[in-house]
Amino acid sequence: MFLPLLISLLGLLFGYDEAELVFVGDAMQHQAQLDAARRPGGVYAYKGCFDSIAPILTTADYAVVNLETPVGPAPHTGYPCFNAPESYLDALSDAGFDLFLTANNHTLDRRAKGLRNTIKALDARSLTHIGTYDSDSARLHALPLVVPVNGIPIGFLNYTYGTNGITPNDGVVVDYIDREVISRDVAHTRLKGAEIVCVCIHWGEEYKLLPNKSQTSMADYLESLGVDMIIGAHPHVIQPMELRPNRYFPDKNVFLVYSLGNFISNMKTPDTRGGALARVHIVKPKDGKAEITEASHTLLFTIPGEGGKSNFRVMPAEKCKESGWKARCDEFCRRARAIFSRHNISVPEKRER
């Protein structure tokens, strides 16, 4: 509590701009989630899903979520080929998310039509999104995405390792991990004026609590490009976080998250029932460049709903008090904290009471 307050006071006294960003992991939509949200008449209502997490999102200056499902008309389906109703976007937007990431391995589950339906639904709501595009020209128009967050220009990019063997066709574009493309995109984003560059990346091996060599190699490459924030998803479990000086540019920090795990899902193993929310504090002196000064995380846990009766609910782990789920939440937290305590670098836990 003291450090953010001190930074705010210094900002008032000496002309700092400051911003807090939050990131969460995979917003899934399994069949059980669809069943819980289904109401008479083919309506899908997500009331209550995000009530416990919304205060964190709405008080942040910018919130980012990985939308790991296409969105479009019925039929609505869960794993293995996802397709969520448009009302899911409304629920996420109402909760406070500002940026939707769409480059992930499920983005082509409904092929090119599903990708376009998702973009159309996001655009109809004026929701900012990156990672997939309905044409090459649309990508050129959308990137670089540089967002002024409290006066601090922050650039965002989004890439995925693959799309479950489905190849884009009919002109649609998916941003795959490609070092040459990423290098050009980062440089272009800097030229557009971004003082902080964030790469959100879908990578790694599912259900592994530590990053693999491919992740560490790519993270090192992104660091060598001067990327300021590297935010990972896909493993469906948490992986370590680091806030430290950039090894190639020691005058600036890099914030690295290998995996935030699941934001909301129907996955059932101890490590997949929850995830982490990452907070990043950025300060820009009046006559200087923006820099990352602080980062923390909060553990999240999902309580399943009952078909047609109650929705799935994601919440800070400390708010999970229900007797039927508290033991499982405690087990998730115990295992996540064991990893973070051994491997995190300067990214402490912030518990929500």
Side-chain angles (χ1 to χ4, degrees), residues 62-297:
Y62 204 72
V64 182
V65 61
N66 175 47
L67 180 66
E68 193 150 359
T69 175
V71 173
H76 301 303
T77 53
Y79 183 83
C81 289
F82 292 105
N83 185 43
E86 292 187 16
S87 55
Y88 189 47
L89 293 182
D90 296 325
L92 289 164
S93 175
D94 290 345
F97 287 108
D98 301 292
L99 175 61
F100 291 72
L101 309 173
T102 58
N104 56 65
N105 57 305
H106 286 288
T107 198
L108 288 176
D109 279 5
R110 290 302 179 97
R111 292 5 186 223
K113 184 177 180 180
L115 184 152
R116 287 198 166 102
N117 284 338
T118 304
I119 291 173
K120 183 178 179 181
L122 288 161
D123 287 344
R125 291 159 174 78
S126 299
L127 298 175
T128 306
H129 57 92
I130 53 169
T132 58
Y133 314 90
D134 59 16
S135 66
D136 286 322
S137 61
R139 185 185 193 275
L140 287 172
H141 179 74
L143 298 181
L145 175 65
V146 180
V147 180
V149 183
N150 284 0
I152 302 174
I154 302 175
F156 296 91
L157 297 163
N158 181 211
Y159 307 93
T160 181
Y161 75 93
T163 45
N164 292 344
I166 305 170
T167 303
N169 61 10
D170 195 29
V172 301
V173 178
V174 177
D175 274 342
Y176 294 105
I177 296 170
D178 180 307
R179 294 193 178 200
E180 291 185 6
V181 171
I182 292 173
S183 178
R184 289 196 299 269
D185 288 346
V186 169
H188 195 190
T189 303
R190 291 284 187 201
L191 285 173
K192 185 74 177 289
E195 293 187 18
I196 298 290
V197 174
C198 175
V199 170
C200 299
I201 187 164
H202 213 71
W203 61 359
E205 189 174 350
E206 291 183 337
Y207 318 122
K208 299 296 184 182
L209 292 165
L210 294 175
N212 60 24
K213 289 183 179 179
S214 175
Q215 286 171 278
T216 56
S217 174
M218 178 55 65
D220 183 73
Y221 178 70
L222 294 172
E223 190 176 346
S224 76
L225 296 178
V227 171
D228 302 276
M229 295 189 286
I230 305 164
I231 310 295
H234 175 63
H236 299 301
V237 296
I238 60 92
Q239 291 181 346
M241 309 176 183
E242 303 174 4
L243 175 61
R244 53 172 172 73
N246 185 304
R247 288 170 292 199
Y248 299 88
F249 304 91
D251 60 333
K252 62 188 293 184
N253 287 330
V254 60
F255 179 52
L256 167 61
V257 178
Y258 282 109
S259 174
L260 288 169
N262 287 326
F263 174 54
I264 189 168
S265 80
N266 187 44
M267 291 189 172
K268 298 177 180 178
T269 63
D271 295 324
T272 61
R273 286 192 180 275
L277 175 147
R279 290 180 178 84
V280 188
H281 199 87
I282 299 171
V283 170
K284 176 179 167 60
K286 183 178 181 180
D287 298 318
K289 288 285 188 179
E291 61 178 337
I292 300 168
T293 59
E294 184 185 10
S296 64
H297 72 273

